Amino acid sequence: MTLGTPRLRPRLALALAFSIAAVLTAVAAPAFADATAPAAAPAPRTYRFGDWPPDLSKHGAELQGLYDKILYVTGAVFFLTEGLLLFFLWKYRAQPGKRAHYSHGHMGLEVGWTLLPVVIFVVLGVTSADMWARMKDRNLFPKDAFTVKVTGRQFEWLIRYPGKDGLFGTEDDYETINDLHVPYDKPVRVRLTAQDVIHSFFLPELRVKQDAVPGLETEIWFEASRAAKTEIACAELCGLGHYRMRGSVTIEPLPQVLNWIQTEKEDE
Amino acid sequence: MESAPNGHGHDHGHGEDHIHPPPSNFLTKYVFSTDHKVIAVQFFCMGFTMFLVGGLFALLLRWQIAFPFQPLPFGLGKVIYASAPGNTMPPESYPTLVTMHGTVMVFFVIIPLLTGAFGNYLIPLKIGARDMAFPLLNMLSYWVAVPAGILIIMAFLTEAGGPGAGWTSYPPLSALPQASPGSGTGQTLWLLSIFCVGWSSIMGGINYLTTIINLRAPGMSLTRMPLSVWALFITSVLQVLATPVLAAASILLLFDKLLGTSFFLPAGVNVGGQAIAQAGGGNPLLFQHLFWFYSHPAVYILVLPAMGLVSDIIPTFTRKPIFGYKAMAYSMAAIAGLGFIVWGHHMFQAGMNPYVATSFMVATMVIATPSSVKVFNWLGSLYGGSIRFTTPMLCCLAFVSMFIIGGLSGVFLAATPVDIFFHDTYYVVAHIHYVVFGGSVFGIFAGLYYWFPKVTGRKMSEFWGKVHFWLSFISFNGVFFPMHILGIGGMMRRIADPTIYQHLAPLQSWNVYITMFAVVLGFSQFIVIANIAVSLLRGERVGENPWEATTLEWTTASPPPYYNYLQIPTVHHPPYEFSVPGMESDYIVQSAPPRSA
Ligand code: HEM
Ligand SMILES: [Cu+2]
Ligand SMILES: [Cu+2]
C-alpha cells in the first residue's frame, strides 16, 4: 500500500470515506426517490427537530420536566467527557521527542468519580420515585375517575364503558372497538387486560403506556387537558398486524362523552 | 490469591510440561481441532458470516420502515421476495425479520465473536498457557454452536413462517401458533437453537474460568493479568450463572408449545374467539422474569469482553499504563454483580408492582456508576499519553465515545416515569445500538485490526482500515443518532409502517434519512472483508511484536506455533509497563527479566 505519505494517510482516508459516502448516497438517491410514496396522511402539524408529540395530558409537563432534568445532568456529563476526550487526543498526540507520562492512576480521583455518580444517580432515582408511584400505584389513583375497561386482542382494542350507573357488568354497559371517548379536566382510569397475547396500551399524546397482559388486570390513569382527537397505539409486538393496531381517542367535555355513550347504546 | 499456580507450566496428569506435536490430519487440524487458536478462527468466521446475514435483515427492515410496502430498489425484490405477490415484502415478513435480526446479532454475532473468537484466542496466549484447560470441551462448544446456527436458519426458512415474536420471544405470542404463524415449527426451532447456543456458552464459560484459574504462567498473579483476561473471566462467570436460566425458560416454553403445559399461559386465553387447548393457570410475566434474569446479564456478556479488549489496546497506543488498573477490574466485577439485580428495568411497564419497579430503578441507577468509572479511567489513560492514531486505536476511541452516549441514554430509560413514554420506542433502539454497535462492534473491529497480525503474521492495510473506520463511524451515527429523535417523537419499536399514525407522519423523513445511512453502513462492511482477504495474501509481514506491546502474546511468533510457547514464560511485570522513567525502550514486556533492584 503506497498511497500518500504516512502523515497524509489519515486525512486521505477521511476524505475518501466522505466521498464514498457521498457517492453511495448519490447512487442510491434516485432509487429511493421513485419508491417514495406520499405518506398516508398529510402532516397535521409543523414539526421541529426533536419535538415531542403534542401534549394533551396534565402530567406531561411534569414528566417532561423530569426528562429535562436528566437531560441537563447527562448533557453536562456528555460535553465534559467527550470534550475532554477530544482535548486529550489533540493535546497528547504523539510528537517526536515527547514521552508519555508514567502513572498508574490516582486514588483520590477514583474515589471522587465513583462517589459523585452514585450520589447523582441515586438523587435522580429518588426524584423519579414519587411521580412513578402517583402514575402506577392504584391505591394512589384519584378516587372520582371516569373509568373504562380496555381489552387488547389481535389487532384491535375492545373498549367497555360502564354506562350511567358507573358499574361494569350491568345492563347498560356499552362496548365498542377502537373508539375511546374520554372527558378532559377529569381523571380517566383505564383497566387493562388482553384476550390472546400481550399488547401495550400507548397514548403518545397523553403520555401513558401500560402493557395489557392476558390473565392480569393492569391499570393506568391520566387527565386530559383539552378537547382533541388522538390515537391509541400498540407498543408491544403482538403479531402480524401489530403495526396497525390503532384506535382513535376523542377527548371532549364529560356530558358529551356520556351523551355519546347513551346514544350509541340506544342505536345498538 | 497473589501467587501464581503451579510453577512448571501446565500439567495434565502426567507431570512434566511437554510439547505436543500438531495434528497432521487435515480434519483434526482444521475442522475438529482442539487448538484454541483454530477454534477461535472458526468462531470468528461463523460470527462474521452471521454479521452479514444479520446486516442484510437490518437493511430489509430499514427499507420497509422508510418506504412501507414499496418495491426494493434495483429490482432486488425479484430476488429477495421472489415468491411474494408484487415482489414486495409480505406483511407477515416484518416480525420475522425483526426477530431474526435481533437473535442473530445477539446470539450468533456478538457473543461468538467476543467470547468464542477473542476469548478463545487470547486467554491461553495472554496467561502463558499452551491451550485451554479442556481442549475437547472447547471443540465441543464450537460444534454445538454450529447446529445452533443451522437451526436458526432453518427456523427462518420454515414454510409456515419464521419465528416472529422478537428476540425476546414473549409468550403467549411465541407459544401459540394460532396467534402467529411463526410460533409453530419456526419458534420451536428458534428455542432449540437458543438452547444449543446456550450450551455452547456455558461450556465456553466453564473452560475459560478453569483455564484462567489454573493455567496461568509462573508469576502471572491475578493482578498482573491483562484487563482483557479479567473481562473474559467476569464474563464467563455471567455465562455460567445466567445461561442456565435461559435454558430453563426455553425448555418451559417448549413444554407449553409441545406438551400442552401452561407455565406461561393463564386461564381464559382465546385467539380470534377460539379457546386454546392448554388449561391455563400460568403467568406470562414469569417468562419475562426468567428471560431478563438471563438477558440483562447477557447485555453485559455483550459488552464486558469488548471493554477488556479496548483496555488492552489503549495503553499500547498511548504508550502509558492503563489508568486505575484495579478500579477497572473492580468496576467490571461490580457491573457483573449488580447486573443480576436489575433485570426488572425491562419490565417497568409490564404490570409489576410499582414499588418493585422502584427498587429495580435504584439498582439500575447504581449500575450506571461502575460504567462511568470505566469511562473516566479510559479518559485518564489518554491523559499525559503519547497517542498513536492507528486503526485499532481509532476503533477504541469510537468505543469509548459511543459507549458514553449509550450509557447516558440508559439513564433516561432507568427513570421509571420517563420510561413510561420511552419504553418500546426507538429511544430504546437507539440505546441498545449505541452500546452494542457503537460499543461492542467497534470493540470487535479494534480487536480485529489489532490482533490480525498475531493471528496471521501479516498486518491489515492501515489505509483501508481507516476508510472503513470513518465510513462506519459516520454512518453509524447517521443511522442511530436520529433514532433518539424518533423515540422522543413516540415511534414504537417493531412496527412495519409508521406512516399510518398521526403523531409519526411528520417524522417520516427521518426514517428515510436513517435508511440512506444504513445502506452506507451496510456496504462499508465489504471494505473490511476485502481488507481481510487481501491482507491475508499480501499484507505486510510482521514479526512478533509489531505494535510494541507488553502482554505475553506478543512474545511468541506471529502466527504462534501450535504449542504457543516453546518455553512457558515467567512473568515479572504488570501488564502495561509503558514509558517507565529511566529506561531507554518505552515498553517492558511482561516476561522481560526483572529490573535489577
Ligand atoms: C449505563 C448503564 C445502563 C443503563 C442505566 C441501562 C438501562 C436500560 C433500561 C432501563 C432498559 C429498558 C428500556 C425499556 O425497555 O424501556 C435498557 C434496555 C436495553 N439495554 Fe441498557 N442500560 C445500560 C447499559 C447497557 C449496556 C452496557 C448494554 C449492552 C451492551 C445495554 C443493552 C440494552 C439492551 C439490549 C436493551 C433492550 C432490550 C430489549 O428490550 O430488546 N444497556 N437499558
Ligand atoms: Cu401490538
Ligand atoms: Cu437491562
Side-chain angles (χ1 to χ4, degrees):
Chain A
M1 298 283 146
T2 50
L3 257 166
T5 64
R7 295 193 66 214
L8 251 171
R9 271 185 213 163
R11 256 174 270 166
L12 203 61
L14 187 56
L16 197 71
F18 272 116
S19 6
I20 297 182
V23 170
L24 278 180
T25 317
V27 170
F32 284 94
D34 63 39
T36 318
R45 64 191 164 103
T46 48
Y47 166 84
R48 277 170 326 174
F49 179 83
D51 271 356
W52 292 59
D55 183 8
L56 304 175
S57 76
K58 292 220 165 143
H59 71 281
E62 189 188 353
L63 194 149
Q64 219 160 318
L66 182 59
Y67 168 87
D68 287 342
K69 217 181 296 171
I70 302 177
L71 186 64
Y72 295 139
V73 175
T74 53
V77 177
F78 172 79
F79 283 111
L80 181 84
T81 49
E82 306 277 8
L84 273 180
L85 180 88
L86 289 176
F87 174 68
F88 288 168
L89 293 185
W90 170 77
K91 179 93 202 274
Y92 301 112
R93 66 196 185 280
Q95 280 163 312
K98 248 177 98 177
R99 219 174 146 110
H101 171 61
Y102 179 76
S103 133
H104 286 97
H106 188 284
M107 195 58 191
L109 276 177
E110 294 292 350
V111 174
W113 66 41
T114 310
L115 291 183
L116 192 68
V118 174
V119 173
I120 294 178
F121 290 136
V122 169
V123 168
L124 278 181
V126 172
T127 324
S128 313
D130 175 55
M131 182 180 189
W132 172 250
R134 267 182 287 129
M135 292 296 302
K136 295 256 167 144
D137 180 357
R138 293 175 210 212
N139 300 318
L140 303 179
F141 281 14
K143 290 284 171 296
D144 59 337
F146 174 88
T147 306
V148 289
K149 277 189 171 186
V150 173
T151 304
R153 68 180 183 205
Q154 290 182 336
F155 298 100
E156 59 194 17
W157 302 98
L158 201 66
I159 294 159
R160 195 176 185 93
Y161 301 90
K164 265 197 300 253
D165 60 1
L167 298 171
F168 288 103
T170 52
E171 264 291 281
D172 68 344
D173 284 11
Y174 171 60
E175 222 171 49
T176 65
I177 283 172
N178 290 339
D179 198 2
L180 178 63
H181 284 239
V182 294
Y184 59 90
D185 288 339
K186 184 174 175 68
V188 176
R189 194 170 168 150
V190 183
R191 295 166 60 179
L192 284 161
T193 190
Q195 211 174 64
D196 38 33
V197 303
I198 301 175
H199 305 271
S200 189
F201 181 76
F202 180 30
L203 305 176
E205 299 186 341
L206 286 156
R207 306 288 191 262
V208 288
K209 183 183 292 132
Q210 173 64 54
D211 286 4
V213 184
L216 204 66
E217 189 179 78
T218 54
E219 277 188 77
I220 187 87
W221 78 276
F222 59 86
E223 186 170 338
S225 58
R226 63 185 157 93
K229 275 213 153 252
T230 177
E231 286 176 340
I232 314 174
C234 178
E236 182 68 60
L237 179 60
C238 57
L240 307 184
H242 164 57
Y243 71 94
R244 56 180 156 79
M245 186 160 161
R246 186 170 51 128
S248 86
V249 184
T250 309
I251 309 173
E252 54 196 5
L254 182 62
Q256 243 160 287
V257 176
L258 296 176
N259 214 4
W260 174 82
I261 295 174
Q262 195 170 3
T263 35
E264 292 288 308
K265 176 83 191 165
E266 280 160 9
D267 284 356
E268 251 183 6
Chain B
M1 287 293 282
E2 285 295 305
S3 75
N6 72 24
H8 289 283
H10 99 210
D11 165 338
H12 42 207
H14 36 226
E16 284 296 283
D17 173 44
H18 53 229
I19 293 172
H20 296 271
S24 48
N25 174 319
F26 177 84
L27 216 56
T28 49
K29 194 167 175 184
Y30 296 112
V31 184
F32 298 104
S33 169
T34 56
D35 178 356
H36 70 104
K37 300 183 289 300
V38 176
I39 297 172
V41 172
Q42 289 174 323
F43 267 117
F44 185 85
C45 295
M46 172 170 142
F48 214 85
T49 311
M50 291 302 249
F51 181 53
L52 300 179
V53 173
L56 175 67
F57 289 138
L59 288 182
L60 294 176
L61 287 176
R62 277 314 319 173
W63 181 267
Q64 166 68 17
I65 298 167
F67 311 109
F69 305 112
Q70 300 294 311
L72 290 178
F74 312 120
L76 285 175
K78 294 199 185 70
V79 186
I80 292 175
Y81 301 124
S83 56
N87 296 340
T88 59
M89 173 184 282
E92 64 270 21
S93 290
Y94 190 84
T96 301
L97 286 175
V98 182
T99 306
M100 291 301 298
H101 168 69
T103 309
V104 164
M105 289 302 193
V106 171
F107 293 107
F108 293 93
V109 177
I110 311 283
I111 295 182
L113 284 179
L114 283 175
T115 64
F118 286 102
N120 247 314
Y121 201 86
L122 296 177
I123 290 173
L125 280 169
K126 277 185 180 286
I127 63 173
R130 299 211 183 283
D131 203 331
M132 287 289 176
F134 308 120
L136 196 66
L137 186 70
N138 204 13
M139 179 182 98
L140 209 60
S141 101
Y142 177 70
W143 285 106
V144 170
V146 172
I150 295 171
L151 281 169
I152 203 73
I153 300 293
M154 279 168 61
F156 175 60
L157 299 174
T158 308
E159 203 174 336
W167 82 280
T168 50
S169 283
Y170 288 175
L173 182 61
S174 57
L176 303 172
Q178 310 90 301
S180 162
S183 294
T185 317
Q187 191 72 39
T188 302
L189 293 171
W190 184 93
L191 285 164
L192 291 172
S193 166
I194 296 307
F195 189 71
C196 291
V197 86
W199 268 104
S200 163
S201 208
I202 295 172
M203 291 192 281
I206 291 174
N207 209 352
Y208 299 174
L209 288 177
T210 316
T211 307
I212 295 172
I213 292 173
N214 294 302
L215 298 188
R216 279 172 288 132
M220 180 61 86
S221 61
L222 289 179
T223 50
R224 280 184 183 162
M225 291 196 315
L227 285 168
S228 54
V229 179
W230 265 113
L232 286 157
F233 183 81
I234 292 166
T235 306
S236 304
V237 174
L238 291 181
Q239 286 181 301
V240 169
L241 294 183
T243 318
V245 180
L246 178 70
S250 21
I251 290 287
L252 295 181
L253 186 49
L254 270 177
F255 283 177
D256 278 8
K257 293 172 68 63
L258 302 178
L259 304 182
T261 58
S262 298
F263 290 103
F264 307 127
L265 300 169
V269 170
N270 72 70
V271 180
Q274 290 277 298
I276 59 169
Q278 290 92 330
N283 185 341
L285 294 192
L286 174 61
F287 180 86
Q288 297 185 19
H289 283 293
L290 294 173
F291 182 84
W292 290 115
F293 186 89
Y294 163 77
S295 284
H296 183 84
V299 306
Y300 289 107
I301 296 175
L302 298 180
V303 84
L304 282 172
M307 289 176 164
L309 303 184
V310 165
S311 303
D312 260 17
I313 298 172
I314 286 181
T316 303
F317 296 117
T318 56
R319 313 309 292 166
K320 177 178 182 288
I322 195 90
F323 195 94
Y325 173 89
K326 283 196 179 161
M328 287 297 225
Y330 290 150
S331 55
M332 285 193 283
I335 289 176
L338 290 167
F340 277 106
I341 55 164
V342 299
W343 79 87
H345 65 215
H346 297 276
M347 300 169 60
F348 285 153
Q349 318 310 331
M352 268 195 304
N353 179 316
Y355 296 101
V356 178
T358 302
S359 55
F360 277 121
M361 160 174 66
V362 175
T364 305
M365 290 288 184
V366 174
I367 206 175
T369 303
S371 305
S372 349
V373 169
K374 298 201 72 72
V375 168
F376 294 138
N377 277 294
W378 284 316
L379 291 179
S381 304
L382 299 176
Y383 175 83
S386 171
I387 302 169
R388 300 176 178 174
F389 293 95
T390 57
T391 310
M393 183 64 177
L394 291 177
C395 295
C396 289
L397 294 169
F399 175 98
V400 175
S401 53
M402 298 299 99
F403 182 75
I404 292 174
I405 299 179
L408 292 176
S409 63
V411 177
F412 291 86
L413 299 173
T416 41
V418 180
D419 185 66
I420 294 177
F421 190 77
F422 284 157
H423 174 64
D424 268 336
T425 65
Y426 266 71
Y427 206 87
V428 178
V429 182
H431 165 68
I432 63 190
H433 287 91
Y434 266 91
V435 279
V436 180
F437 198 135
S440 310
V441 173
F442 277 103
I444 288 167
F445 287 151
L448 168 66
Y449 288 113
Y450 186 68
W451 280 289
F452 188 87
K454 180 50 60 185
V455 179
T456 63
R458 290 173 187 270
K459 226 172 176 164
M460 287 174 74
S461 154
E462 272 287 299
F463 175 79
W464 287 106
K466 284 183 172 142
V467 173
H468 166 241
F469 169 78
W470 283 108
L471 272 174
S472 303
F473 184 73
I474 295 165
S475 50
F476 163 79
N477 282 288
V479 171
F480 295 107
F481 199 81
M483 289 193 186
H484 294 104
I485 306 292
L486 292 175
I488 292 170
M491 180 169 161
M492 297 78 76
R493 288 171 82 171
R494 297 165 169 173
I495 53 169
D497 183 358
T499 59
I500 63 174
Y501 290 88
Q502 87 183 29
H503 74 289
L504 298 181
L507 293 167
Q508 189 58 12
S509 52
W510 280 116
N511 278 321
V512 176
Y513 175 93
I514 290 173
T515 297
M516 297 237 188
F517 273 107
V519 173
V520 178
L521 182 59
F523 281 91
S524 307
Q525 305 319 311
F526 289 108
I527 299 176
V528 69
I529 296 172
N531 196 348
I532 292 176
V534 174
S535 304
L536 267 179
L537 302 173
R538 318 221 329 239
E540 177 196 336
R541 281 186 189 278
V542 296
E544 287 175 358
N545 193 356
W547 307 112
E548 306 178 299
T550 51
T551 45
L552 290 183
E553 78 273 25
W554 303 106
T555 62
T556 186
S558 309
Y562 176 67
Y563 40 83
N564 291 353
Y565 297 98
L566 199 54
Q567 185 101 51
I568 291 294
T570 302
V571 175
H572 298 288
H573 299 278
Y576 311 113
E577 287 295 271
F578 288 99
S579 304
V580 181
M583 299 244 334
E584 197 182 324
S585 158
D586 79 342
Y587 66 103
I588 309 176
V589 291
Q590 285 196 275
S591 56
R595 289 194 297 155
S596 45

